[in-house]
């Protein structure tokens, strides 16, 4: 990794991309400290001293921007929700499905445009809900319509700027822009995690042997967890494919032996992100219409507590267990959905057959499709279960006295984005350092 970074800094084009990405990341972090107009900073410190539930989840993704009520307080969560909605609609609307599969670059741009339009709508709804949810907390200078409009416009504008920053990083920088913004928001909590570990070792200036052993255990556990995530993210099943001799034009092409690499976690971390957004979405909608729902009882209050159990332990163990089971099923479902959306066994089988290839021991055509589907199903089941277990572990740790900034979901996102960015950086270097057959 360090060798790759060293080589990237030596290459002018890649170095420019890296510096441009770093510049936009600095802009993102500066924006996290710009408070929305109409907010009373003094009252804000008291009201946001302890963010829990859905507020805590948004605050983690936004890198603390929500607790500061900055223009980037909503982070990129409306865009994630919009992406989920568009991809689900593509499964039931034939025109969107054709646009996704057969539209090419033009179709991808149209889907991206629809996603951005829906993002603005969802950001508007979410910002209104946030305003009404905190209207009674006294963090605004007054409760006038003008103040509310300023807050809503500021939040929506912040999300729009983040979408633009993400696109610029993707097109002119290194890595996926949206993923990198989430990555930077999460790792900004690393200093807080270090402070937490230090407080375990020396609480109030008094050295604690028990705290030291606990801190060492947490660090070792985190290292093992990161190693496991890297192993699963990089693991792949290679399906051998043989191509017989065939005539291409006026030439005879010889037989070739190759393979199809099938990732163990082909969907990456997106199922976890989507499942988290899907679980907290009902709480977000309920809070818009019932701002004081947390202090009430009844069906809506139960649904609200069930929805926020992903990110807090203050709702009771019953809600947390039910939430964990539904969360696990959602992660598995989104893993299968994403895997089969990116890898179609029937299409791969037809391409192999058209090019005169076959999998040793498997007949071409339908048997190949069934064989690939069986392997993909088993790999996806294991990968989905791994993602679900890693994501649910922090929900169990919340019932202890530990307050660790990095949970399983955070580590999955951070490791996944880091690996993806390094791979893209290596591909950029390979393109610029490739030597043709005329070079020696």
């Amino acid at each position: 990794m360090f060798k790759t970074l060293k080589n990237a800094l030596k290459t002018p084009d890649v170095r420019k991309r890296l510096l441009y990405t770093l510049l936009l990341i600095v802009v993102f972090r500066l924006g996290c400290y710009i408070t929305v107009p109409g907010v009373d900073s003094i009252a804000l410190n008291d009201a946001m001293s302890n963010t829990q539930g859905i507020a805590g989840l948004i605050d983690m993704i936004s890198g603390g921007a929500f607790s500061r009520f900055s223009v980037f307080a909503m982070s990129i969560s409306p865009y994630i929700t919009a992406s989920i909605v568009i991809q689900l609609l593509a499964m039931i609307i034939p025109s969107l499905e054709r646009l996704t599969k057969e539209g090419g670059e033009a179709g991808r741009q149209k889907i991206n445009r629809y996603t951005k339009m829906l993002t603005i709508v969802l950001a508007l709804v979410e910002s209104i809900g946030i305003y009404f949810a905190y209207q009674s907390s006294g963090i605004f200078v007054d409760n006038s319509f003008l103040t509310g409009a300023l807050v809503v416009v500021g939040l929506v504008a912040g999300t729009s700027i983040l979408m633009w920053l993400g696109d610029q990083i993707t097109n002119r920088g290194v890595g996926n822009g949206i993923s990198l913004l989430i990555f930077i928001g999460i790792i900004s909590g690393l200093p807080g995690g270090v402070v937490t570990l230090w407080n375990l070792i020396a609480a109030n200036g008094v050295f604690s042997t028990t705290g030291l052993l606990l801190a060492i255990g947490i660090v070792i556990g985190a290292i093992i967890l990161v190693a496991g995530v890297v192993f699963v993210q990089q693991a792949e099943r290679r399906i051998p494919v043989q191509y017989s001799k065939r005539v291409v034009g006026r030439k005879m092409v010889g037989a070739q032996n190759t393979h199809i690499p099938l990732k163990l976690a082909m969907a990456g971390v997106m199922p976890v992100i989507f499942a988290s957004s899907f679980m907290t979405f009902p709480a977000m909608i309920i809070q818009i219409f019932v701002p004081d729902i947390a202090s009430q009882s009844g069906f809506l209050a139960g649904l609200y507590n069930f929805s926020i159990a992903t990110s807090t332990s203050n709702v009771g163990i019953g809600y947390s267990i039910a939430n964990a089971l539904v969360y696990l099923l959602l992660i598995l479902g989104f893993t299968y959905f994403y895997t089969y959306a990116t890898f179609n066994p029937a299409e791969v089988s037809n391409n192999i057959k058209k090019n005169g290839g076959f999998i040793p021991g498997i007949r071409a055509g339908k048997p190949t499709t069934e064989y690939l589907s069986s392997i993909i199903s088993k790999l996806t089941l294991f990968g989905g279960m791994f993602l679900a277990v890693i994501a649910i572990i922090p929900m169990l740790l919340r019932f202890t006295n530990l307050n660790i900034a990095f949970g399983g979901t955070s580590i999955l996102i951070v490791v996944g984005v880091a690996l993806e960015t390094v791979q893209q950086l290596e591909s950029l270097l390979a393109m610029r350092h490739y030597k043709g057959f005329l070079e020696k």
Side-chain angles (χ1 to χ4, degrees):
M1 176 179 176
F2 293 105
K3 185 178 179 181
T4 301
L5 186 59
K6 182 180 178 181
N7 293 333
L9 293 175
K10 292 181 180 179
T11 308
D13 292 345
V14 181
R15 184 172 65 247
K16 288 180 181 179
R17 283 178 169 267
L18 283 174
L19 293 176
Y20 185 75
T21 302
L22 181 61
L23 175 63
L24 294 187
I25 288 174
V26 171
V27 171
F28 165 61
R29 290 305 299 160
L30 288 176
C32 292
Y33 291 88
I34 300 176
T35 308
V36 173
V39 174
D40 186 348
S41 300
I42 298 176
L44 180 65
N45 293 330
D46 298 331
M48 295 293 189
S49 59
N50 185 24
T51 52
Q52 292 288 336
I54 186 172
L57 179 64
I58 298 176
D59 193 53
M60 179 197 72
I61 296 177
S62 64
F66 188 85
S67 59
R68 303 183 193 100
F69 222 96
S70 78
V71 290
F72 294 158
M74 293 192 301
S75 184
I76 208 70
S77 57
Y79 181 85
I80 297 174
T81 306
S83 300
I84 298 173
V85 173
I86 292 296
Q87 294 194 30
L88 290 178
L89 288 177
M91 298 178 63
I92 58 177
I93 300 179
S95 58
L96 276 180
E97 185 179 6
R98 288 194 300 270
L99 203 61
T100 304
K101 294 183 177 180
E102 304 171 4
E105 180 63 22
R108 188 188 66 81
Q109 292 180 358
K110 285 186 178 181
I111 291 293
N112 193 26
R113 192 181 307 120
Y114 295 154
T115 304
K116 290 180 179 178
M117 292 170 61
L118 183 58
T119 299
I120 298 300
V121 175
L122 293 177
L124 180 62
V125 174
E126 185 175 343
S127 61
I128 293 174
I130 291 175
Y131 173 74
F132 283 119
Y134 288 93
Q135 189 177 25
S136 59
S137 63
I139 67 173
F140 304 120
V141 292
D142 55 52
N143 294 330
S144 64
F145 174 79
L146 180 59
T147 300
L150 281 174
V151 172
V152 170
V153 171
L155 293 175
V156 174
T159 298
S160 302
I161 292 173
L162 286 181
M163 277 198 302
W164 181 82
L165 290 177
D167 284 343
Q168 294 303 307
I169 292 174
T170 302
N171 298 328
R172 302 174 60 183
V174 177
N176 182 286
I178 301 299
S179 299
L180 270 178
L181 293 179
I182 299 175
F183 171 86
I184 296 299
I186 292 175
I187 66 171
S188 65
L190 183 60
V194 174
V195 171
T196 301
L197 291 179
W198 177 254
N199 290 335
L200 287 174
I201 299 172
N204 299 322
V206 179
F207 178 79
S208 172
T209 305
T210 304
L212 176 62
L213 294 176
L214 185 58
I216 293 175
I218 292 173
V219 172
I220 294 175
I223 293 174
I224 295 174
L225 188 60
V226 170
V229 172
V230 172
F231 176 78
V232 172
Q233 293 282 357
Q234 297 293 90
E236 63 181 23
R237 168 76 182 274
R238 297 183 176 182
I239 308 298
V241 179
Q242 294 182 359
Y243 291 95
S244 57
K245 292 183 178 181
R246 63 187 189 279
V247 178
V248 179
R250 303 176 68 180
K251 296 181 179 180
M252 175 69 73
V253 179
Q256 295 179 350
N257 294 328
T258 183
H259 64 271
I260 304 173
L262 299 179
K263 289 282 188 180
L264 190 58
M266 195 175 297
V269 298
M270 293 309 295
V272 179
I273 299 175
F274 280 11
S276 299
S277 300
F278 196 87
M279 288 297 296
T280 55
F281 187 72
M284 191 182 304
I285 298 299
I286 293 173
Q287 204 167 35
I288 293 176
F289 298 100
V290 190
D292 59 340
I293 187 64
S295 60
Q296 295 185 11
S297 60
F299 173 75
L300 285 180
L303 180 60
Y304 175 82
N305 290 331
F306 167 78
S307 182
I308 66 173
T310 305
S311 52
T312 182
S313 60
N314 297 333
V315 296
I317 190 170
Y319 287 114
S320 296
I321 293 175
N323 182 281
L325 292 176
V326 176
Y327 194 37
L328 186 147
L329 293 176
L330 282 175
I331 291 176
L332 280 176
F334 278 119
T335 301
Y336 274 96
F337 168 74
Y338 243 83
T339 300
Y340 281 96
T342 56
F343 185 90
N344 189 340
E347 184 178 346
V348 174
S349 175
N350 290 333
N351 290 335
I352 293 174
K353 186 177 180 180
K354 287 179 182 178
N355 292 311
F358 63 94
I359 297 175
I362 307 297
R363 294 180 58 187
K366 188 176 179 181
T368 300
T369 302
E370 294 175 349
Y371 177 73
L372 291 176
S373 298
S374 175
I375 293 178
I376 284 292
S377 178
K378 295 174 183 176
L379 293 178
T380 304
L381 178 61
F382 180 85
M385 289 298 295
F386 176 81
L387 292 176
V389 169
I390 296 298
I392 289 174
I393 285 176
M395 298 176 63
L396 303 178
L397 292 178
R398 290 194 192 99
F399 293 97
T400 66
N401 294 325
L402 297 178
N403 184 20
I404 305 301
F406 277 78
T409 305
S410 303
I411 291 178
L412 282 171
I413 295 173
V414 167
V415 174
V417 174
L419 290 174
E420 179 185 356
T421 305
V422 170
Q423 288 173 358
Q424 183 173 346
L425 192 59
E426 290 176 346
S427 65
L428 288 173
L429 290 173
M431 289 173 59
R432 282 156 178 78
H433 291 163
Y434 177 75
K435 292 183 178 182
F437 67 93
L438 294 177
E439 299 183 38
K440 296 183 179 179

